[in-house]
Every structure is written in C-alpha cells, then in structure tokens.
C-alpha cells in the first residue's frame, strides 16, 4: 500500500520545487514509511540527497507522521471495548451480564512474550560486544559493497548482512538485543538532532511546502489501499490493520507501544515482527521505485 501511495502521490505532487532531487526524496520517504528512520538514512545516502533537503524532508514528515499516529490511535478500539461490541452483535444466547475482567482477547490467542527478567541487562561487556558486532558487520558490508557494487551505499548490504546474521544466529544476537537497541536509538537520535540543527519548519515552508502535501497524500493513499484490500476484500480485523499500518509507518517500537496501550497483548509480538520485516525490505524496495518515479 505504501508503494502504491508513493507512485500515486508523486503523480499528483511531483515535487518539482526540488528539481532532480524530487524523485529521490520520494524514494526516501517511501523507505521510511515501509521500514523506518534507518531506511530513510540508507536511501538518502545511496542517492546522495542534498543535506538541506534531507533536513526539510525529515521535518515535514515528522509533523505528518505525528498527526497520522494520532489518527490511528483515535480509530483503534481498546481490546475490552471491542470484545463487548462483538459480544452484543454475535452472541444472543449467552448471558449479557459479563464482567469486563473476564473478557477474553478479541484478536486471537495470546502469545507468550519473554519476561522482562529474561532480557540481558545492559552492562559494559554487552555494550562492548554490541559495538564490536556492529563494527564487524559494517566493515564486512563496506568491503562487499566495494567489491560488488562500488556505486552503492554500504548501508544496503550491511543491513542485509545484519538481517541474515540475526536469522541464522538468533541466540548470540538475542543476548545483544537490549544493549544493541539502546545504542541504536542513541545514535539514531544523534543523527536526527544533527540533521534538525541544519533545518527548520520555516525552511520547509519556504523551500518545499510540497513535501508536507506529498507526505500527507502518500499516507492517505496508503491508508485507503490498506483498508480497502484488508477490510473490504480479505475481511481482516480493523484493529489489526491499524496496527499493521503503524508498524510500517513508524516501525516496531511504535507498533508495540500501540498494542500495549490498546491492551492487545497477543499482538505485541506480531507488531514487532511486521516492523522488523519492514526494516529488512524497505531500502531495496524503495530504491527499486526510482526508475518508475523518474518516468512520471
């Protein structure tokens, strides 16, 4: 749905004010709405987008995404309320005096998640191992990129190596999950702080007001396609579709937070997995949109 939204939005709002950078920014925003911020960085680096335009795109998209998250939270129905509505519509033979505390999860059987105690604590050793592992993957990714695709950003192959390594060696990487996540968030926030220091909302409004319109239209079409196919054709639960949209646009962290806030405990793990899947495929998928957008 994000790919369709990107192509349709670029046809309507072609970002002509950005010149040759227009289609590149569209690809970068598509990668962010499929995966997350790290994919945006990878695509922007691969396509050599101007730093000032990157800052403007980040500022514009942050505003639109924040409003979109508020929209999803407004539409999503908490687990107990949804179950009450389902009981009223579908169970006439059962008793009507059901206490809220006895209501079972609506969206499927509850999936047992690892307890907080099972998570490895953040220690000096875990931080060192996380940095060493990341350095090895980055070095190997850079070497492979230089050998295979010299004109490509090393972030693409490095991301692929990380996903493959974590899939083939789940136990070692599970031990680095807590410290690795903390370090990743820290460095990512530093990147956005540095990018934001070079831009402002005034820059967005003066140089590229179409960025706000493009990002908003992209997410609008994404939502319409998602609900049309998921709800109209496949008859999937609305709350599951809202959560899937959150996982794509915001990533696994925001999706898991939404599932917890709405008391969808059985959907926390699926939300994380969908978000991680978006991370894995967003960069390559968004770069493949380039030739299509250049023809529009």
């Amino acid at each position: 749905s994000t790919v369709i939204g990107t192509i349709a939005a670029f046809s309507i709002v072609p970002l002509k004010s950005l010149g040759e950078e227009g289609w590149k920014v569209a690809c970068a925003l598509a990668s962010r709405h499929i995966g997350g911020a790290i994919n945006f960085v990878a695509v922007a680096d691969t396509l050599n987008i101007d730093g000032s335009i990157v800052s403007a795109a980040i500022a514009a998209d942050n505003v639109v995404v924040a409003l979109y998250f508020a929209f999803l939270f407004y539409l999503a129905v908490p687990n107990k309320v949804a179950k009450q509505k389902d009981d009223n519509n579908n169970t006439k033979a059962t008793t009507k005096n059901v206490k809220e505390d006895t209501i079972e999860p609506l969206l499927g059987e509850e999936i047992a998640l690892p307890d907080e105690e099972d998570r490895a604590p953040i220690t000096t050793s875990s931080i060192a191992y996380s940095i060493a592992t990341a350095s090895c993957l980055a070095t190997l990714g850079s070497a492979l990129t230089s050998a295979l695709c010299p004109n490509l950003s090393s972030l693409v192959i490095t991301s692929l190596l990380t996903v493959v390594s974590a899939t083939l060696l789940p136990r070692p990487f599970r031990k680095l999950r807590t410290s690795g996540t903390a370090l990743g968030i820290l460095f990512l926030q530093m990147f956005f702080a540095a990018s934001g220091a070079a831009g402002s909302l005034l820059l967005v409004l003066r140089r590229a007001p179409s960025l706000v319109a493009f990002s908003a239209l992209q997410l609008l079409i994404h939502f319409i396609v998602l609900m049309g196919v998921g709800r109209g054709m496949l008859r999937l639960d609305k709350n599951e579709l809202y959560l899937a949209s959150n996982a794509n646009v915001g990533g696994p962290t925001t999706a898991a937070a939404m599932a917890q806030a709405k008391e969808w405990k059985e959907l926390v793990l699926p939300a994380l997995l969908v978000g991680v899947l978006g991370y894995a495929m967003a960069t390559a998928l968004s770069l493949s949109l380039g030739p299509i957008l250049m023809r529009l």
Side-chain angles (χ1 to χ4, degrees):
S1 60
T2 302
V3 172
I4 297 174
T6 301
I7 296 174
F10 193 76
S11 300
I12 300 173
V13 185
L15 300 176
K16 292 183 179 180
S17 60
L18 300 180
E20 293 297 325
E21 302 285 329
W23 68 270
K24 299 179 182 179
V25 173
C27 290
L29 289 176
S31 69
R32 188 180 187 186
H33 296 162
I34 296 173
I38 185 61
N39 302 104
F40 179 91
V41 175
V43 173
D45 181 68
T46 301
L47 299 178
N48 296 316
I49 302 177
D50 182 77
S52 61
I53 296 179
V54 170
S55 300
I58 291 173
D61 193 58
N62 282 343
V63 174
V64 175
V65 168
L67 294 175
Y68 184 70
F69 284 163
F71 172 69
L72 290 179
F73 268 82
Y74 172 77
L75 293 179
V77 179
N79 205 34
K80 293 181 179 180
V81 176
K83 179 60 181 176
Q84 286 179 330
K85 291 181 179 179
D86 186 67
D87 286 343
N88 292 335
N89 294 331
N90 302 318
T91 58
K92 297 181 179 179
T94 57
T95 179
K96 296 182 180 180
N97 298 323
V98 179
K99 295 183 179 179
E100 289 187 353
D101 292 340
T102 63
I103 295 175
E104 297 296 328
L106 169 66
L107 301 177
E109 295 182 358
E110 190 168 324
I111 298 175
L113 295 175
D115 296 333
E116 295 292 333
E117 298 178 356
D118 295 337
R119 296 184 181 180
I122 299 178
T123 62
T124 304
S125 298
S126 67
I127 292 175
Y129 283 130
S130 296
I131 294 177
T133 303
S135 299
C136 290
L137 289 170
T139 303
L140 182 58
S142 179
L144 290 175
T145 301
S146 300
L148 301 176
C149 306
N151 297 325
L152 185 67
S153 171
S154 62
L155 285 174
V156 178
I157 295 182
T158 301
S159 300
L160 180 61
L161 281 175
T162 303
V163 174
V164 172
S165 300
T167 302
L168 298 178
L169 303 170
R171 289 187 178 181
F173 278 84
R174 188 180 298 118
K175 296 178 181 179
L176 304 177
R177 179 179 58 184
T178 306
S179 58
T181 300
L183 287 171
I185 293 175
L186 174 63
F187 288 125
L188 200 57
Q189 295 300 327
M190 290 174 63
F191 166 79
F192 282 114
S195 298
S200 65
L201 288 177
L202 291 178
L203 174 65
V204 177
L205 296 177
R206 290 176 181 175
R207 183 166 184 176
S210 58
L211 280 172
V212 177
F214 174 83
S215 182
L217 184 60
Q218 185 184 40
L219 290 182
L220 175 62
I221 297 174
H222 155 86
F223 182 79
I224 292 174
V225 173
L226 179 68
M227 297 304 296
V229 175
R231 187 64 177 170
M233 297 175 59
L234 302 179
R235 302 296 179 183
L236 298 177
D237 187 90
K238 290 187 293 185
N239 288 337
E240 292 179 350
L241 294 174
Y242 300 150
L243 190 60
S245 179
N246 190 314
N248 280 148
V249 176
T253 305
T254 58
M258 179 178 178
Q260 290 282 11
K262 295 298 181 179
E263 301 181 11
W264 303 334
K265 294 181 180 180
E266 68 281 357
L267 291 180
V268 175
L269 183 57
L272 290 171
L273 294 176
V274 171
V276 172
L277 177 62
Y279 281 161
M281 62 187 300
T283 301
L285 185 59
S286 298
L287 289 174
S288 67
L289 286 174
I292 299 175
L293 298 179
M294 291 177 67
R295 297 193 191 101
L296 297 178

